[in-house]
Amino acid sequence: MSLELSAPPQSEPACADDGVWLECIDCGEQFAPFEEIHYTCADCDGLLEVRYADPPTFEAFEGSGVWRYNAALPFKRGVTLPEGDTPLHEVPRLREEIGVDSLRIKHEGMNPTGAFKDRGMTVGVAVAKELGVGRLACASTGNTSAALAAYGARGDMETLVLLPKGKVAAGKIAQASLHDARILEVDGNFDSCLDIVQELAGRGEVYLLNSLNPFRLEGQKTIGFEILEEHYEEYGEYPDRIVLPVGNAGNTAALYKAFRELVASGALEESEVPTLTGVQAEGAAPMVEAVRNNRDEIQRWDDVETRATAIRIGNPVNAPKALPGIYNTGGTAVAVSDDEITAAQRQLAETGVGVEPASAASVAGLRKLRASGEISADESVVCLTTGHLLKDPDEAFNAGGDPEPVPNDTDAVLEHINDSNETVAGRVAQQFSKVADSSAVPAIIGGGLGLAYLGYRVLRSDDA
């Protein structure tokens, strides 16, 4: 199966293991999946995909969560917490304000460690066990480290995570720390961390579980299956468009692969495949640059900066898989400012959906593309949000409202809340001013996710 949407099913090669094999997307070389470790093609260093002799149909799916889709995965069951089966939220006020026919929020922050990464880790750690490796490793902007640490602990495996020093949110470091991963802070950005992990993996010192590993994306493609099933159950049709944040471009590649497999099996018509639309922060937008210039490859950005830490990536390794997904579904990509991301994060929170900044990029991108007319009013849209609100307590607190001191007296409290001088507009202006003027706080590296947030609030109070 090529990267074309219309590619037919492939014949099972001799190297396949129970109908599963690895194949290079560049030269087509094929490899046995579990005899030895492969991250990229041994012949040309191209990216690998997991391929199946029997692509899945909807009728083959049963159960719940990621492993409901084991007919489209390498194993029947993996190292699980469990994960998947995340909600598809209605947001009627936001839908009306943006102006689309329907709008749903696929909230991947409701996975066990608070991010979509769990879907990839349940499969990836299972493969690591099948291969008999002893030490797991990843480079991370935070969410990957938290997921790998949790699933490594669940699988009773040693875990090593490399993080860019001073660039990872407190809640994410707290998770990796509590799950007993070894945390190495690198004096560089995410891409530097990934370079080191790849070199360690090349020397056989670690098993790499970044999304360069093709098995990671197998778990992540179940997001696409879930969106199609959930949306069809609600509306009797599939969404016209899926808008998603782009960091390493793994989800874009994974969703496109899910749709290609369903088309190959005859379960989905090409005309029913949702348009894939990627969103990046303006300070880290190599995919957007490529799409806007109609290029087939990205140019690495060495200097990247955005408060949306989860997508602060200048060299998305899955771009060769993701760009065809955008082009072949008629999609596009857009960059949004940090202020637009924060505004979208607040608007989602006002509907009861709490996400970290990178997640809100999808809604910010939808709003921008709708305003420019690139997305029409009659479209049904799903925005993917990738991480939970408490993943980044610093930005959550900055984006929210300040506590209001009141006397220890009921009448005084009543007078305060009824004070006509405190208008809604004034509160909103105050909150946006606080976002613009806020300064960073020290990262909290101990304790669980909730404790990190509570501790952070105490620090803010002490500093006031």
Side-chain angles (χ1 to χ4, degrees):
M1 185 172 65
S2 73
L3 296 187
E4 293 298 321
L5 189 56
S6 58
Q10 292 177 262
S11 299
E12 182 175 344
C15 66
D17 184 337
D18 195 23
V20 181
W21 69 96
L22 294 170
E23 186 167 316
C24 176
I25 68 169
D26 288 336
C27 73
E29 187 65 28
Q30 298 168 328
F31 304 92
F34 311 122
E35 287 182 3
E36 56 184 299
I37 297 172
H38 293 284
Y39 304 112
T40 58
C41 179
D43 285 1
C44 73
D45 202 36
L47 295 181
L48 299 176
E49 273 199 337
V50 183
R51 299 284 170 87
Y52 302 91
D54 297 309
T57 62
F58 289 112
E59 289 73 24
F61 301 149
E62 58 182 4
S64 62
V66 166
W67 295 99
R68 165 179 172 77
Y69 306 104
N70 58 24
L73 297 173
F75 303 113
K76 294 297 181 185
R77 191 77 168 172
V79 177
T80 181
L81 286 176
E83 52 293 311
D85 200 18
T86 56
L88 194 65
H89 289 299
E90 291 185 276
V91 283
R93 294 200 310 271
L94 199 53
R95 178 202 63 76
E96 184 175 351
E97 181 187 342
I98 292 174
V100 288
D101 186 60
S102 70
L103 175 61
R104 289 296 188 99
I105 306 298
K106 180 63 170 171
H107 194 359
E108 285 296 293
M110 303 309 290
N111 276 296
T113 75
F116 74 92
K117 306 284 188 176
D118 297 348
R119 292 180 184 264
M121 290 305 174
T122 186
V123 177
V125 174
V127 172
K129 282 189 164 294
E130 180 74 12
L131 290 165
V133 300
R135 181 190 291 152
L136 310 176
C138 71
S140 181
T141 55
N143 286 332
T144 303
S145 68
L148 181 61
Y151 282 80
R154 186 72 167 181
D156 194 26
M157 304 179 78
E158 182 184 354
T159 303
L160 182 71
V161 300
L162 278 73
L163 309 175
K165 185 177 180 180
K167 297 293 185 179
V168 177
K172 302 172 186 181
I173 299 178
Q175 287 180 282
S177 174
L178 190 62
H179 290 304
D180 205 28
R182 292 190 65 183
I183 301 171
L184 304 183
E185 289 191 317
V186 176
D187 187 16
N189 60 23
F190 166 82
D191 300 304
S192 303
C193 295
L194 184 56
D195 289 341
I196 294 171
V197 172
Q198 285 184 252
E199 289 181 21
L200 290 173
R203 298 180 188 183
E205 296 294 332
V206 299
Y207 183 65
L208 182 149
L209 271 170
N210 284 96
S211 60
L212 181 67
N213 185 320
F215 291 106
R216 265 276 312 274
L217 300 189
E218 292 306 287
Q220 290 169 219
K221 77 183 180 187
T222 63
I223 300 171
F225 295 144
E226 277 189 16
I227 288 174
L228 293 183
E229 289 191 313
E230 291 167 341
H231 198 277
Y232 194 88
E233 183 178 351
E234 291 291 330
Y235 295 102
E237 61 183 11
Y238 304 116
D240 295 315
R241 185 182 300 266
I242 298 174
V243 184
L244 64 165
V246 174
N248 241 340
N251 278 337
T252 311
L255 266 63
Y256 182 51
K257 186 171 189 289
F259 303 152
R260 283 159 44 215
E261 289 178 352
L262 290 170
V263 169
S265 73
L268 193 68
E269 298 292 331
E270 285 187 55
S271 60
E272 295 175 317
V273 172
T275 298
L276 290 173
T277 299
V279 185
Q280 293 189 294
E282 288 178 347
M287 279 278 290
V288 175
E289 180 182 66
V291 171
R292 293 297 181 177
N293 289 285
N294 201 31
R295 294 202 306 258
D296 292 329
E297 58 184 25
I298 61 104
Q299 294 180 354
R300 177 171 178 157
W301 288 24
D302 290 322
D303 297 317
V304 290
E305 189 55 58
T306 170
R307 69 171 65 115
T309 57
I311 55 174
R312 189 192 283 142
I313 295 171
N315 187 34
V317 296
N318 287 296
K321 297 177 179 178
L323 286 170
I326 290 174
Y327 293 142
N328 294 341
T329 63
T332 188
V334 65
V336 292
S337 69
D338 278 3
D339 286 344
E340 288 171 322
I341 289 172
T342 298
Q345 184 186 21
R346 293 190 68 256
Q347 288 152 0
L348 280 167
E350 288 166 2
T351 72
V353 180
V355 303
E356 66 169 325
S359 293
S362 59
V363 173
L366 169 62
R367 181 184 295 279
K368 192 167 188 174
L369 291 171
R370 179 70 192 95
S372 70
E374 291 185 72
I375 291 179
S376 62
D378 61 356
E379 290 193 40
S380 59
V381 181
V382 172
C383 282
L384 183 65
T385 60
T386 48
H388 194 276
L389 167 72
L390 294 181
K391 282 288 190 172
D392 196 335
D394 186 347
E395 292 300 335
F397 186 62
N398 287 336
D402 283 322
E404 302 172 43
V406 295
N408 182 17
D409 179 81
T410 302
D411 289 337
V413 169
L414 186 59
E415 181 180 356
H416 177 83
I417 62 179
N418 288 331
D419 187 353
S420 60
N421 292 329
E422 178 72 349
T423 64
V424 173
R427 289 196 298 272
V428 170
Q430 179 188 32
Q431 290 165 357
F432 272 100
S433 176
K434 182 163 67 70
V435 170
D437 296 338
S438 62
S439 59
V441 298
I444 302 166
I445 61 173
L449 183 60
L451 289 176
Y453 177 64
L454 293 175
Y456 171 77
R457 292 302 292 265
V458 170
L459 287 174
R460 291 290 298 204
S461 298
D462 289 345
D463 289 342

